[in-house]
């Protein structure tokens, strides 16, 4: 009988040491399900509604740049202006024959890219001097290869 008393005492001690707020979760506190109010009221028009983004700013810019190096015979540049959907500009380049090629372009709305190409100056084909006269030589004479020899030791 003493064995039954020990078992009963252990069961009594275990029941007394259990916390009353455990709620039968193995000694851990029961989960709390709380619903908090939203941080702010939903926007007009219902949940999930977002107002459309503001229209993009009208693109407006103007720039120009140029490179001129007399030693290297480089001269080119560009200028462009944009106001909304209308763009006007030009660029130029010094060609190897001494002329300057200038391209003027416009883009108005959906009208596409319209370019006008002009050349200033006269072409000088000897701008770099005359090329050397070609030198023709006879091709080298080749001898047939030696005949292979098989089976000799």
């Amino acid at each position: 009988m003493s064995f039954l008393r020990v078992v009963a005492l252990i069961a009594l001690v275990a029941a007394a040491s259990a916390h009353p707020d455990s709620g039968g979760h193995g000694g851990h506190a029961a989960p709390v399900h709380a619903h908090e109010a939203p941080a702010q009221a939903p926007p007009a028009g219902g949940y999930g509604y977002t107002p459309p983004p503001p229209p993009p700013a009208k693109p407006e810019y103007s720039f120009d740049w140029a490179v001129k190096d007399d030693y290297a015979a480089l001269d080119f540049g560009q200028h462009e202006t944009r106001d909304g959907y209308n763009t006007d500009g030009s660029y130029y380049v010094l060609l190897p024959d001494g002329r300057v090629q200038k391209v003027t372009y416009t883009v108005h709305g959906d009208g596409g890219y319209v370019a006008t190409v002009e050349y200033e100056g006269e072409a000088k084909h000897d701008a770099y001097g005359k090329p050397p006269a070609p030198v023709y030589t006879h091709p080298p004479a080749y001898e047939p290869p030696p005949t292979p020899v098989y089976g000799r030791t």
Side-chain angles (χ1 to χ4, degrees):
M1 290 258 201
S2 68
F3 177 73
L4 288 177
R5 285 185 185 175
V6 172
V7 171
L9 181 64
I10 291 175
L12 183 62
V13 170
S17 66
H19 295 287
D21 64 342
S22 69
H25 294 286
H28 300 289
V32 177
H33 299 287
H35 298 285
E36 297 181 18
Q40 62 185 19
Y47 288 98
Y49 171 78
T50 55
K58 179 174 128 179
E60 244 180 271
Y61 62 83
S62 180
F63 70 88
D64 59 307
W65 58 271
V67 173
K68 184 164 177 69
D69 184 352
D70 292 329
Y71 179 76
L74 299 175
D75 188 6
F76 53 94
Q78 179 183 9
H79 171 76
E80 182 172 295
T81 303
R82 180 169 181 186
D83 185 15
Y85 293 107
N86 299 326
T87 305
D88 296 305
S90 65
Y91 58 91
Y92 66 94
V93 61
L94 176 64
L95 299 173
D97 63 7
R99 297 179 298 163
V100 175
Q101 179 185 28
K102 184 174 183 181
V103 178
T104 305
Y105 58 90
T106 59
V107 178
H108 292 285
D110 291 334
Y113 181 86
V114 179
T116 304
V117 181
E118 299 173 347
Y119 294 92
E120 297 174 1
E122 289 188 32
K124 299 174 188 163
H125 296 290
D126 62 342
Y128 294 105
K130 293 188 178 187
V135 177
Y136 298 104
T137 59
H138 293 288
Y142 293 103
E143 295 182 16
T147 306
V149 178
Y150 300 103
R152 287 194 186 172
T153 55

